[in-house]
mmCIF file of all heavy atoms in Angstrom:
data_model
loop_
_atom_site.group_PDB
_atom_site.id
_atom_site.type_symbol
_atom_site.label_atom_id
_atom_site.label_comp_id
_atom_site.label_asym_id
_atom_site.label_seq_id
_atom_site.Cartn_x
_atom_site.Cartn_y
_atom_site.Cartn_z
ATOM 1 N N GLU L 60 1.307 7.136 19.543
ATOM 2 C CA GLU L 60 2.686 6.716 19.366
ATOM 3 C C GLU L 60 2.846 5.957 18.044
ATOM 4 O O GLU L 60 3.828 6.142 17.299
ATOM 5 C CB GLU L 60 3.141 5.825 20.519
ATOM 6 C CG GLU L 60 3.287 6.556 21.826
ATOM 7 C CD GLU L 60 3.492 5.609 23.005
ATOM 8 O OE1 GLU L 60 2.886 4.527 23.026
ATOM 9 O OE2 GLU L 60 4.262 5.984 23.903
ATOM 10 N N PHE L 61 1.913 5.046 17.759
ATOM 11 C CA PHE L 61 1.942 4.291 16.530
ATOM 12 C C PHE L 61 1.914 5.220 15.326
ATOM 13 O O PHE L 61 2.709 5.074 14.418
ATOM 14 C CB PHE L 61 0.771 3.295 16.489
ATOM 15 C CG PHE L 61 0.744 2.452 15.248
ATOM 16 C CD1 PHE L 61 1.569 1.330 15.157
ATOM 17 C CD2 PHE L 61 -0.065 2.800 14.175
ATOM 18 C CE1 PHE L 61 1.549 0.550 13.990
ATOM 19 C CE2 PHE L 61 -0.063 2.009 13.027
ATOM 20 C CZ PHE L 61 0.732 0.906 12.939
ATOM 21 N N MET L 62 1.016 6.201 15.348
ATOM 22 C CA MET L 62 0.905 7.105 14.226
ATOM 23 C C MET L 62 2.164 7.976 14.054
ATOM 24 O O MET L 62 2.507 8.353 12.949
ATOM 25 C CB MET L 62 -0.332 7.989 14.366
ATOM 26 C CG MET L 62 -1.637 7.230 14.129
ATOM 27 S SD MET L 62 -1.631 6.232 12.596
ATOM 28 C CE MET L 62 -1.418 7.493 11.359
ATOM 29 N N ARG L 63 2.858 8.269 15.182
ATOM 30 C CA ARG L 63 4.106 9.012 15.051
ATOM 31 C C ARG L 63 5.149 8.212 14.297
ATOM 32 O O ARG L 63 5.886 8.750 13.474
ATOM 33 C CB ARG L 63 4.613 9.393 16.427
ATOM 34 C CG ARG L 63 3.840 10.530 17.050
ATOM 35 C CD ARG L 63 4.386 10.901 18.405
ATOM 36 N NE ARG L 63 3.636 12.011 18.954
ATOM 37 C CZ ARG L 63 3.410 12.221 20.215
ATOM 38 N NH1 ARG L 63 3.904 11.366 21.124
ATOM 39 N NH2 ARG L 63 2.723 13.240 20.626
ATOM 40 N N TYR L 64 5.236 6.916 14.536
ATOM 41 C CA TYR L 64 6.138 6.044 13.803
ATOM 42 C C TYR L 64 5.744 5.999 12.322
ATOM 43 O O TYR L 64 6.568 6.071 11.439
ATOM 44 C CB TYR L 64 6.177 4.639 14.381
ATOM 45 C CG TYR L 64 7.062 4.547 15.601
ATOM 46 C CD1 TYR L 64 6.504 4.538 16.875
ATOM 47 C CD2 TYR L 64 8.430 4.432 15.492
ATOM 48 C CE1 TYR L 64 7.319 4.441 18.003
ATOM 49 C CE2 TYR L 64 9.256 4.329 16.608
ATOM 50 C CZ TYR L 64 8.674 4.356 17.866
ATOM 51 O OH TYR L 64 9.484 4.266 18.952
ATOM 52 N N VAL L 65 4.428 5.842 12.081
ATOM 53 C CA VAL L 65 3.946 5.793 10.706
ATOM 54 C C VAL L 65 4.248 7.083 9.960
ATOM 55 O O VAL L 65 4.728 7.081 8.840
ATOM 56 C CB VAL L 65 2.416 5.466 10.683
ATOM 57 C CG1 VAL L 65 1.862 5.622 9.265
ATOM 58 C CG2 VAL L 65 2.151 4.079 11.228
ATOM 59 N N ALA L 66 3.969 8.199 10.608
ATOM 60 C CA ALA L 66 4.193 9.529 9.956
ATOM 61 C C ALA L 66 5.648 9.745 9.594
ATOM 62 O O ALA L 66 5.965 10.376 8.600
ATOM 63 C CB ALA L 66 3.690 10.633 10.901
ATOM 64 N N LYS L 67 6.563 9.190 10.422
ATOM 65 C CA LYS L 67 7.977 9.336 10.139
ATOM 66 C C LYS L 67 8.536 8.209 9.277
ATOM 67 O O LYS L 67 9.707 8.194 8.947
ATOM 68 C CB LYS L 67 8.783 9.388 11.473
ATOM 69 C CG LYS L 67 8.547 10.624 12.271
ATOM 70 C CD LYS L 67 9.351 10.586 13.552
ATOM 71 C CE LYS L 67 9.132 11.810 14.392
ATOM 72 N NZ LYS L 67 9.921 11.734 15.655
ATOM 73 N N ASN L 68 7.647 7.218 8.954
ATOM 74 C CA ASN L 68 8.062 6.054 8.178
ATOM 75 C C ASN L 68 9.249 5.364 8.867
ATOM 76 O O ASN L 68 10.205 4.963 8.273
ATOM 77 C CB ASN L 68 8.465 6.437 6.748
ATOM 78 C CG ASN L 68 8.470 5.236 5.836
ATOM 79 O OD1 ASN L 68 7.799 4.244 6.085
ATOM 80 N ND2 ASN L 68 9.222 5.325 4.774
ATOM 81 N N ARG L 69 9.076 5.202 10.192
ATOM 82 C CA ARG L 69 10.115 4.607 11.048
ATOM 83 C C ARG L 69 9.690 3.220 11.516
ATOM 84 O O ARG L 69 8.602 3.071 12.067
ATOM 85 C CB ARG L 69 10.360 5.472 12.293
ATOM 86 C CG ARG L 69 10.966 6.836 12.061
ATOM 87 C CD ARG L 69 12.452 6.883 12.333
ATOM 88 N NE ARG L 69 12.918 6.111 13.423
ATOM 89 C CZ ARG L 69 13.011 6.498 14.708
ATOM 90 N NH1 ARG L 69 12.606 7.681 15.062
ATOM 91 N NH2 ARG L 69 13.516 5.685 15.598
ATOM 92 N N PRO L 70 10.525 2.229 11.351
ATOM 93 C CA PRO L 70 10.194 0.908 11.874
ATOM 94 C C PRO L 70 10.390 0.857 13.388
ATOM 95 O O PRO L 70 11.111 1.647 13.982
ATOM 96 C CB PRO L 70 11.204 -0.002 11.184
ATOM 97 C CG PRO L 70 12.375 0.875 10.951
ATOM 98 C CD PRO L 70 11.835 2.254 10.681
ATOM 99 N N PHE L 71 9.717 -0.089 14.040
ATOM 100 C CA PHE L 71 9.919 -0.359 15.443
ATOM 101 C C PHE L 71 9.585 -1.793 15.702
ATOM 102 O O PHE L 71 8.882 -2.436 14.918
ATOM 103 C CB PHE L 71 9.070 0.584 16.339
ATOM 104 C CG PHE L 71 7.585 0.329 16.264
ATOM 105 C CD1 PHE L 71 6.960 -0.543 17.123
ATOM 106 C CD2 PHE L 71 6.840 0.998 15.322
ATOM 107 C CE1 PHE L 71 5.588 -0.772 17.027
ATOM 108 C CE2 PHE L 71 5.472 0.816 15.235
ATOM 109 C CZ PHE L 71 4.857 -0.082 16.102
ATOM 110 N N VAL L 72 10.077 -2.328 16.800
ATOM 111 C CA VAL L 72 9.807 -3.690 17.214
ATOM 112 C C VAL L 72 9.126 -3.610 18.573
ATOM 113 O O VAL L 72 9.620 -2.967 19.498
ATOM 114 C CB VAL L 72 11.088 -4.525 17.325
ATOM 115 C CG1 VAL L 72 10.810 -5.905 17.887
ATOM 116 C CG2 VAL L 72 11.798 -4.591 15.984
ATOM 117 N N ALA L 73 7.978 -4.262 18.718
ATOM 118 C CA ALA L 73 7.243 -4.314 19.990
ATOM 119 C C ALA L 73 7.407 -5.765 20.494
ATOM 120 O O ALA L 73 6.614 -6.629 20.100
ATOM 121 C CB ALA L 73 5.791 -3.924 19.805
ATOM 122 N N ARG L 74 8.387 -5.991 21.290
ATOM 123 C CA ARG L 74 8.692 -7.362 21.768
ATOM 124 C C ARG L 74 7.711 -7.736 22.916
ATOM 125 O O ARG L 74 7.598 -6.994 23.892
ATOM 126 C CB ARG L 74 10.102 -7.436 22.299
ATOM 127 C CG ARG L 74 11.095 -7.121 21.224
ATOM 128 C CD ARG L 74 12.384 -7.904 21.446
ATOM 129 N NE ARG L 74 13.367 -7.542 20.457
ATOM 130 C CZ ARG L 74 13.503 -8.154 19.263
ATOM 131 N NH1 ARG L 74 12.736 -9.144 18.955
ATOM 132 N NH2 ARG L 74 14.441 -7.753 18.449
ATOM 133 N N LYS L 75 7.010 -8.826 22.740
ATOM 134 C CA LYS L 75 6.063 -9.345 23.730
ATOM 135 C C LYS L 75 5.076 -8.270 24.200
ATOM 136 O O LYS L 75 4.628 -8.258 25.321
ATOM 137 C CB LYS L 75 6.834 -9.900 24.942
ATOM 138 C CG LYS L 75 7.733 -11.044 24.626
ATOM 139 C CD LYS L 75 8.420 -11.590 25.844
ATOM 140 C CE LYS L 75 9.366 -12.690 25.476
ATOM 141 N NZ LYS L 75 10.074 -13.194 26.627
ATOM 142 N N ALA L 76 4.726 -7.380 23.284
ATOM 143 C CA ALA L 76 3.898 -6.266 23.684
ATOM 144 C C ALA L 76 2.485 -6.319 23.097
ATOM 145 O O ALA L 76 1.543 -5.840 23.666
ATOM 146 C CB ALA L 76 4.544 -4.926 23.283
ATOM 147 N N ILE L 77 2.366 -6.934 21.936
ATOM 148 C CA ILE L 77 1.089 -6.904 21.242
ATOM 149 C C ILE L 77 0.435 -8.284 21.366
ATOM 150 O O ILE L 77 1.043 -9.307 21.062
ATOM 151 C CB ILE L 77 1.298 -6.515 19.780
ATOM 152 C CG1 ILE L 77 1.876 -5.086 19.730
ATOM 153 C CG2 ILE L 77 -0.003 -6.568 19.011
ATOM 154 C CD1 ILE L 77 2.219 -4.575 18.383
ATOM 155 N N HIS L 78 -0.800 -8.276 21.760
ATOM 156 C CA HIS L 78 -1.515 -9.522 22.007
ATOM 157 C C HIS L 78 -2.692 -9.623 21.041
ATOM 158 O O HIS L 78 -3.848 -9.516 21.424
ATOM 159 C CB HIS L 78 -1.979 -9.601 23.452
ATOM 160 C CG HIS L 78 -0.840 -9.437 24.421
ATOM 161 N ND1 HIS L 78 0.092 -10.409 24.620
ATOM 162 C CD2 HIS L 78 -0.475 -8.396 25.183
ATOM 163 C CE1 HIS L 78 0.981 -10.004 25.510
ATOM 164 N NE2 HIS L 78 0.681 -8.754 25.839
ATOM 165 N N TRP L 79 -2.367 -9.775 19.778
ATOM 166 C CA TRP L 79 -3.389 -9.927 18.729
ATOM 167 C C TRP L 79 -3.656 -11.426 18.575
ATOM 168 O O TRP L 79 -2.777 -12.247 18.668
ATOM 169 C CB TRP L 79 -2.901 -9.382 17.411
ATOM 170 C CG TRP L 79 -2.735 -7.914 17.378
ATOM 171 C CD1 TRP L 79 -3.441 -6.963 18.075
ATOM 172 C CD2 TRP L 79 -1.791 -7.197 16.615
ATOM 173 N NE1 TRP L 79 -2.975 -5.727 17.775
ATOM 174 C CE2 TRP L 79 -1.954 -5.817 16.853
ATOM 175 C CE3 TRP L 79 -0.792 -7.566 15.701
ATOM 176 C CZ2 TRP L 79 -1.207 -4.830 16.224
ATOM 177 C CZ3 TRP L 79 -0.038 -6.586 15.088
ATOM 178 C CH2 TRP L 79 -0.253 -5.236 15.368
ATOM 179 N N PRO L 80 -4.924 -11.770 18.304
ATOM 180 C CA PRO L 80 -5.223 -13.193 18.056
ATOM 181 C C PRO L 80 -4.366 -13.759 16.918
ATOM 182 O O PRO L 80 -3.962 -14.926 16.957
ATOM 183 C CB PRO L 80 -6.707 -13.180 17.681
ATOM 184 C CG PRO L 80 -7.251 -11.943 18.324
ATOM 185 C CD PRO L 80 -6.146 -10.954 18.297
ATOM 186 N N ALA L 81 -4.068 -12.940 15.904
ATOM 187 C CA ALA L 81 -3.254 -13.413 14.783
ATOM 188 C C ALA L 81 -1.866 -13.833 15.224
ATOM 189 O O ALA L 81 -1.237 -14.661 14.601
ATOM 190 C CB ALA L 81 -3.146 -12.311 13.748
ATOM 191 N N HIS L 82 -1.382 -13.261 16.303
ATOM 192 C CA HIS L 82 -0.041 -13.600 16.783
ATOM 193 C C HIS L 82 0.096 -15.102 17.055
ATOM 194 O O HIS L 82 1.141 -15.690 16.786
ATOM 195 C CB HIS L 82 0.284 -12.802 18.030
ATOM 196 C CG HIS L 82 1.646 -12.988 18.524
ATOM 197 N ND1 HIS L 82 1.989 -13.809 19.583
ATOM 198 C CD2 HIS L 82 2.845 -12.452 18.097
ATOM 199 C CE1 HIS L 82 3.279 -13.782 19.775
ATOM 200 N NE2 HIS L 82 3.838 -12.973 18.900
ATOM 201 N N GLU L 83 -0.943 -15.684 17.573
ATOM 202 C CA GLU L 83 -0.911 -17.123 17.840
ATOM 203 C C GLU L 83 -1.541 -17.955 16.745
ATOM 204 O O GLU L 83 -1.185 -19.085 16.507
ATOM 205 C CB GLU L 83 -1.596 -17.411 19.177
ATOM 206 C CG GLU L 83 -0.812 -16.819 20.330
ATOM 207 C CD GLU L 83 -1.409 -17.128 21.679
ATOM 208 O OE1 GLU L 83 -2.218 -18.064 21.788
ATOM 209 O OE2 GLU L 83 -1.027 -16.464 22.657
ATOM 210 N N LYS L 84 -2.538 -17.364 16.035
ATOM 211 C CA LYS L 84 -3.289 -18.101 15.034
ATOM 212 C C LYS L 84 -2.506 -18.255 13.716
ATOM 213 O O LYS L 84 -2.599 -19.284 13.065
ATOM 214 C CB LYS L 84 -4.600 -17.367 14.729
ATOM 215 C CG LYS L 84 -5.514 -18.077 13.774
ATOM 216 C CD LYS L 84 -6.845 -17.331 13.648
ATOM 217 C CE LYS L 84 -7.775 -18.053 12.722
ATOM 218 N NZ LYS L 84 -9.052 -17.314 12.598
ATOM 219 N N TRP L 85 -1.725 -17.257 13.341
ATOM 220 C CA TRP L 85 -1.076 -17.240 12.028
ATOM 221 C C TRP L 85 0.246 -18.037 12.056
ATOM 222 O O TRP L 85 1.324 -17.487 11.883
ATOM 223 C CB TRP L 85 -0.837 -15.868 11.529
ATOM 224 C CG TRP L 85 -2.081 -15.121 11.136
ATOM 225 C CD1 TRP L 85 -3.365 -15.577 11.217
ATOM 226 C CD2 TRP L 85 -2.168 -13.824 10.600
ATOM 227 N NE1 TRP L 85 -4.239 -14.638 10.793
ATOM 228 C CE2 TRP L 85 -3.534 -13.547 10.410
ATOM 229 C CE3 TRP L 85 -1.250 -12.849 10.310
ATOM 230 C CZ2 TRP L 85 -3.970 -12.321 9.884
ATOM 231 C CZ3 TRP L 85 -1.657 -11.640 9.794
ATOM 232 C CH2 TRP L 85 -3.032 -11.404 9.582
ATOM 233 N N THR L 86 0.143 -19.328 12.245
ATOM 234 C CA THR L 86 1.310 -20.188 12.204
ATOM 235 C C THR L 86 1.643 -20.535 10.759
ATOM 236 O O THR L 86 0.824 -20.308 9.858
ATOM 237 C CB THR L 86 1.041 -21.492 12.990
ATOM 238 O OG1 THR L 86 -0.006 -22.206 12.339
ATOM 239 C CG2 THR L 86 0.686 -21.234 14.439
ATOM 240 N N LYS L 87 2.775 -21.135 10.531
ATOM 241 C CA LYS L 87 3.129 -21.548 9.175
ATOM 242 C C LYS L 87 2.108 -22.552 8.652
ATOM 243 O O LYS L 87 1.666 -22.481 7.506
ATOM 244 C CB LYS L 87 4.532 -22.180 9.192
ATOM 245 C CG LYS L 87 5.002 -22.592 7.831
ATOM 246 C CD LYS L 87 6.409 -23.153 7.883
ATOM 247 C CE LYS L 87 6.855 -23.601 6.514
ATOM 248 N NZ LYS L 87 8.203 -24.154 6.520
ATOM 249 N N LYS L 88 1.696 -23.485 9.500
ATOM 250 C CA LYS L 88 0.697 -24.480 9.099
ATOM 251 C C LYS L 88 -0.625 -23.839 8.713
ATOM 252 O O LYS L 88 -1.230 -24.154 7.708
ATOM 253 C CB LYS L 88 0.505 -25.496 10.231
ATOM 254 C CG LYS L 88 -0.426 -26.618 9.933
ATOM 255 C CD LYS L 88 -0.517 -27.609 11.077
ATOM 256 C CE LYS L 88 -1.498 -28.714 10.786
ATOM 257 N NZ LYS L 88 -1.598 -29.669 11.899
ATOM 258 N N TYR L 89 -1.108 -22.921 9.535
ATOM 259 C CA TYR L 89 -2.368 -22.231 9.303
ATOM 260 C C TYR L 89 -2.322 -21.438 7.998
ATOM 261 O O TYR L 89 -3.227 -21.516 7.143
ATOM 262 C CB TYR L 89 -2.730 -21.290 10.450
ATOM 263 C CG TYR L 89 -3.922 -20.414 10.204
ATOM 264 C CD1 TYR L 89 -5.195 -20.873 10.452
ATOM 265 C CD2 TYR L 89 -3.769 -19.120 9.758
ATOM 266 C CE1 TYR L 89 -6.316 -20.087 10.199
ATOM 267 C CE2 TYR L 89 -4.852 -18.306 9.530
ATOM 268 C CZ TYR L 89 -6.127 -18.782 9.731
ATOM 269 O OH TYR L 89 -7.236 -18.015 9.505
ATOM 270 N N LEU L 90 -1.259 -20.664 7.800
ATOM 271 C CA LEU L 90 -1.131 -19.820 6.601
ATOM 272 C C LEU L 90 -0.966 -20.678 5.349
ATOM 273 O O LEU L 90 -1.515 -20.354 4.292
ATOM 274 C CB LEU L 90 0.029 -18.836 6.723
ATOM 275 C CG LEU L 90 -0.204 -17.743 7.801
ATOM 276 C CD1 LEU L 90 1.074 -16.931 7.955
ATOM 277 C CD2 LEU L 90 -1.393 -16.876 7.451
ATOM 278 N N SER L 91 -0.246 -21.799 5.468
ATOM 279 C CA SER L 91 -0.096 -22.703 4.323
ATOM 280 C C SER L 91 -1.447 -23.294 3.926
ATOM 281 O O SER L 91 -1.750 -23.399 2.741
ATOM 282 C CB SER L 91 0.882 -23.825 4.659
ATOM 283 O OG SER L 91 2.173 -23.320 4.806
ATOM 284 N N ALA L 92 -2.266 -23.632 4.926
ATOM 285 C CA ALA L 92 -3.576 -24.199 4.627
ATOM 286 C C ALA L 92 -4.476 -23.164 3.951
ATOM 287 O O ALA L 92 -5.242 -23.453 3.032
ATOM 288 C CB ALA L 92 -4.228 -24.708 5.923
ATOM 289 N N LYS L 93 -4.387 -21.910 4.383
ATOM 290 C CA LYS L 93 -5.191 -20.833 3.813
ATOM 291 C C LYS L 93 -4.715 -20.434 2.437
ATOM 292 O O LYS L 93 -5.525 -20.156 1.560
ATOM 293 C CB LYS L 93 -5.189 -19.595 4.724
ATOM 294 C CG LYS L 93 -5.967 -19.778 6.001
ATOM 295 C CD LYS L 93 -7.434 -19.903 5.697
ATOM 296 C CE LYS L 93 -8.255 -20.016 6.951
ATOM 297 N NZ LYS L 93 -9.658 -20.311 6.691
ATOM 298 N N MET L 94 -3.411 -20.335 2.223
ATOM 299 C CA MET L 94 -2.842 -19.852 0.980
ATOM 300 C C MET L 94 -2.645 -20.945 -0.057
ATOM 301 O O MET L 94 -2.631 -20.682 -1.257
ATOM 302 C CB MET L 94 -1.473 -19.189 1.222
ATOM 303 C CG MET L 94 -1.574 -17.933 2.075
ATOM 304 S SD MET L 94 -2.612 -16.642 1.370
ATOM 305 C CE MET L 94 -1.702 -16.232 -0.107
ATOM 306 N N GLY L 95 -2.472 -22.186 0.377
ATOM 307 C CA GLY L 95 -2.210 -23.276 -0.564
ATOM 308 C C GLY L 95 -0.908 -23.017 -1.315
ATOM 309 O O GLY L 95 0.090 -22.622 -0.727
ATOM 310 N N ASN L 96 -0.954 -23.198 -2.621
ATOM 311 C CA ASN L 96 0.212 -22.998 -3.471
ATOM 312 C C ASN L 96 0.217 -21.646 -4.109
ATOM 313 O O ASN L 96 0.953 -21.401 -5.082
ATOM 314 C CB ASN L 96 0.329 -24.108 -4.517
ATOM 315 C CG ASN L 96 0.610 -25.443 -3.924
ATOM 316 O OD1 ASN L 96 1.370 -25.515 -2.966
ATOM 317 N ND2 ASN L 96 0.045 -26.512 -4.461
ATOM 318 N N GLU L 97 -0.623 -20.759 -3.639
ATOM 319 C CA GLU L 97 -0.702 -19.400 -4.195
ATOM 320 C C GLU L 97 0.608 -18.637 -3.953
ATOM 321 O O GLU L 97 1.095 -18.637 -2.795
ATOM 322 C CB GLU L 97 -1.854 -18.691 -3.500
ATOM 323 C CG GLU L 97 -2.454 -17.522 -4.231
ATOM 324 C CD GLU L 97 -3.054 -17.836 -5.587
ATOM 325 O OE1 GLU L 97 -3.637 -18.926 -5.740
ATOM 326 O OE2 GLU L 97 -2.891 -17.012 -6.475
ATOM 327 N N PRO L 98 1.219 -18.106 -4.995
ATOM 328 C CA PRO L 98 2.493 -17.385 -4.747
ATOM 329 C C PRO L 98 2.238 -16.086 -3.979
ATOM 330 O O PRO L 98 1.207 -15.449 -4.121
ATOM 331 C CB PRO L 98 2.973 -17.086 -6.174
ATOM 332 C CG PRO L 98 1.771 -17.144 -7.044
ATOM 333 C CD PRO L 98 0.816 -18.113 -6.400
ATOM 334 N N ILE L 99 3.240 -15.761 -3.205
ATOM 335 C CA ILE L 99 3.167 -14.514 -2.420
ATOM 336 C C ILE L 99 4.235 -13.594 -2.963
ATOM 337 O O ILE L 99 5.440 -13.958 -3.044
ATOM 338 C CB ILE L 99 3.398 -14.761 -0.928
ATOM 339 C CG1 ILE L 99 2.292 -15.663 -0.377
ATOM 340 C CG2 ILE L 99 3.476 -13.448 -0.154
ATOM 341 C CD1 ILE L 99 2.500 -16.139 1.022
ATOM 342 N N VAL L 100 3.843 -12.425 -3.418
ATOM 343 C CA VAL L 100 4.783 -11.461 -3.998
ATOM 344 C C VAL L 100 5.190 -10.447 -2.913
ATOM 345 O O VAL L 100 4.345 -9.866 -2.239
ATOM 346 C CB VAL L 100 4.146 -10.732 -5.200
ATOM 347 C CG1 VAL L 100 5.119 -9.686 -5.739
ATOM 348 C CG2 VAL L 100 3.730 -11.732 -6.236
#
Side-chain angles (χ1 to χ4, degrees):
E60 290 170 324
F61 181 81
M62 288 310 300
R63 285 181 178 148
Y64 280 100
V65 171
K67 292 180 180 179
N68 198 25
R69 293 259 324 271
F71 68 91
V72 175
R74 300 212 184 269
K75 299 182 182 178
I77 299 176
H78 305 287
W79 292 329
H82 185 259
E83 293 182 18
K84 184 176 182 180
W85 289 3
T86 63
K87 182 178 178 181
K88 183 178 179 180
Y89 173 84
L90 292 174
S91 293
K93 289 292 183 187
M94 295 300 296
N96 292 324
E97 202 60 37
I99 298 173
V100 178

